Amino acid sequence: MEILLQLVFSGIALGMIYAVIAFGYQLTFATSGTLNFGQGEALMLGALVGLSLVGNIHGGPYLNYWLMIPLVIVFGALQGAVVEWIGVRPALKIKSEFGWIMSTIALAIIFKNVAENIWGKDDLTFPSPLPSTPFQVFGANVQPMQVVVVLGALAMMLAVEFFNRKSIYGKAVVATSNDRDAAGLMGINTSMVITFSYALSSATAAFAGVLVAPLTLTGATMGAALGLKAFAVAIIGGLTSGMGAVVGGLILGIAETLTGFYISTGYKEVPGLVLLLLVLAIKPAGLFGKTAIKKV
Amino acid sequence: MNTIIKTCVATALVGWSLAAGAAEPIKIGVTGPFTGGSAPMGVSMRDGVKLAVADINAKGGVLGRQLQLVERDDEAKNERGVQVAQELINKEKVVGTVGFINTGVALASQRFYQEAKIPVMNNVATGSIVTKQFVGPENKDNYVFRNAANDTIQSAMIVDEAVVRQKHTKVAILADSTNYGQLGREDLERTLAARGIKPVAVEKYNLKDVDMTAQLLKAKQGGAEVVLTYGIGPELAQIANGMEKLNWKVPIIGSWTLSMGNFIDNAGKNGDGARMPQTFIQDATTAKRKAFIEAYQKAYKIDRMPSAVSAAQGYDSVYLLAAAIKQAGSTDGVKVREALENLNGTVEGVVTTYTKPYSHDDHEAIKPNMVVIGEVKNGRVVLAK
């Protein structure tokens, strides 16, 4: 029982990381029908910028861990806006169906290379703001930072949802995601809304980066694997549902740790991907997604 | 008159061509990962090699010619290694190559050196079969040499340390899914079986895995008293840190890669006490070692070598190759191989002083008595007590 609990706890912490990144995919998909394939790199950049502020690599530490978080979120927002401006807007303007795919991937590669030159190619340690000694919950060990990851991720997603439902700006986002042309006719500056959604999605990824960095190692290559897993999560959960991101993340995270223990660590990643194939075959909109009717 | 002019011209021509020949440098290839998770090994190896070449060139080079390095990053990728091998052989026309950090890259690339009859000196890759890839009746001669402690030696030492010295009977093996990890795992299992021990858990993980809970829990549930590892720095650090997450502390004993800077730094206090076989520890125990360490620190403005073992073995590999070229009196691959197999005199390196390091059937320079057990202590590798 303790074992199962331990595996589930680790799976939850891992799954929430996936969920936050997956949530970022959804934010941009909702407003513009496009995805930022550089979400993993946005996470990596956030983590590395955070490391420069709190670590001792660039003559620091300059800031306390908690004070660094808002700065990293601002940085993430700017980075997302740049991606939208350079990579996505031109594609949307010429109504290119798929141009944004290549341009966001290209930007992701550029960001990775830039990061390799600034921070080096090695993995670095991120100082943990909390003691890393685990405490016991029903006999299973949990690290304080793992709790912070789960709570932080949930808080971030709730804040975004709350903003979208309650504030006037959020309503503009929702309106744009429902029908971009109609929203435009109603006087909403939809291209501004799309830029905003990109900024928001990269900001969440950057935030996720500094959350997970104390648990994992930080380095220019940390984004690729996480970004890809999160993409699977977004598909499993459905690209139109914040709830789907959370559930999908938890399913994948827990499936990985359970398979690793009960079947074989060599097949750790298989069930999650089998699930992805099943979802695509049976319910292509994802577990929580709304089926969109696309005119051809 | 005519004859005199002709003689003059001829002499001048001969002299000129001889002079040109003397100025022509001897090209030596260097291949290793200078980027990615294995980079500390690759970069340290390359830095060691450069120091050796600078030393030799300062003393007039070999056969009156300077040594020239041709460096290529194989990125620890097998397919990239193959490209590098072909480029070094066919385009750069190297006389010999030193390098190969990753066992998988070595196994994929060596055949080109074997076919071209050019000696290749593995100065880091440790997979037991690396030097045995081209032996036996099919191949008359083997062009693959090594001056690193192979996995047969290392796995015996790891098991010895865990089972005999520390008296553990329940062991778990954690190895990565690369050729290196899996071949090492086989060696460990074989060595354990010879002592009648069956590991309580044998687990693998992928490079860049961020969660080791499942693997470590299995080891813990099996009642493991010690964890034996075969992997490289970053993931080894995840193992040490994962143990802390589970509040489970047992000794880690593993292959020499536990001495890598990126393990020591990323595992921090969790890495303290990890033990591994070492051919070289950054500790000035002899005059030669002292000079080498000081030269390294001065040249690369660094206090702790990222991978001291790689640097030392890289340094020695150049001296061994240079000694063979000198003895052969030629840069012809066949003659250099023959010279390597029958080296006269001694070659003083920083790992050891090599006396007859190779023979026709034995291409391993490092013998078990040259390897010691190191231990991570306060961010450094020291000799284990």
Side-chain angles (χ1 to χ4, degrees), chain A residues 49-205:
Chain A
V49 167
L51 182 64
S52 286
L53 293 173
V54 301
N56 51 8
I57 50 164
H58 288 147
Y62 297 103
L63 280 179
N64 172 282
Y65 178 86
W66 309 106
L67 291 176
M68 166 273 293
I69 291 180
L71 284 182
V72 166
I73 291 180
V74 169
F75 168 82
L78 289 175
Q79 188 256 345
V82 167
V83 170
E84 196 273 343
W85 182 58
I86 299 176
V88 182
R89 185 173 297 187
L92 287 181
K93 199 171 277 167
I94 57 165
K95 299 221 161 22
S96 153
E97 274 282 311
F98 301 113
W100 52 270
I101 297 181
M102 281 323 293
S103 51
T104 55
I105 292 176
L107 281 169
I109 295 172
I110 292 171
F111 286 133
K112 192 175 127 228
N113 282 324
V114 169
E116 280 179 346
N117 281 305
I118 299 178
W119 287 278
K121 290 169 177 177
D122 234 341
D123 289 322
L124 305 160
T125 11
F126 200 100
S128 175
L130 296 172
S132 50
T133 334
F135 58 87
Q136 301 251 317
V137 183
F138 306 116
N141 292 298
V142 180
Q143 274 182 320
M145 202 58 211
Q146 288 177 306
V147 180
V148 173
V149 167
V150 174
L151 294 182
L154 283 177
M156 181 84 193
M157 288 188 269
L158 283 177
V160 173
E161 290 286 324
F162 187 77
F163 170 84
N164 280 350
R165 302 228 170 122
K166 297 292 174 196
S167 74
I168 185 80
Y169 301 103
K171 285 181 175 139
V173 173
V174 176
T176 308
S177 55
N178 279 339
D179 187 333
R180 178 158 26 128
D181 294 336
L185 291 173
M186 297 306 285
I188 293 171
N189 184 345
T190 55
S191 70
M192 184 76 113
V193 168
I194 292 171
T195 311
F196 175 73
S197 70
Y198 262 83
L200 201 57
S201 90
S202 282
T204 55

Side-chain angles (χ1 to χ4, degrees), chain B residues 203-224:
Chain B
E203 299 302 320
K204 75 171 161 190
Y205 54 85
N206 294 324
L207 296 187
K208 294 272 152 212
D209 267 4
V210 294
D211 188 277
M212 299 281 181
T213 311
Q215 289 91 334
L216 287 168
L217 263 184
K218 272 188 147 173
K220 189 185 175 192
Q221 280 319 104

Side-chain angles (χ1 to χ4, degrees), chain B residues 292-345:
Chain B
F292 169 67
I293 294 168
E294 278 167 6
Y296 192 101
Q297 285 171 329
K298 192 161 156 272
Y300 306 109
K301 296 184 180 53
I302 201 164
D303 178 42
R304 190 191 69 194
M305 298 177 177
S307 174
V309 170
S310 312
Q313 288 169 180
Y315 184 85
D316 285 5
S317 66
V318 174
Y319 269 96
L320 288 168
L321 192 60
I325 295 174
K326 200 166 151 195
Q327 185 178 318
S330 150
T331 54
D332 178 55
V334 179
K335 289 190 181 136
V336 175
R337 173 188 59 75
E338 280 166 0
L340 269 174
E341 288 171 349
N342 303 293
L343 272 184
N344 305 324

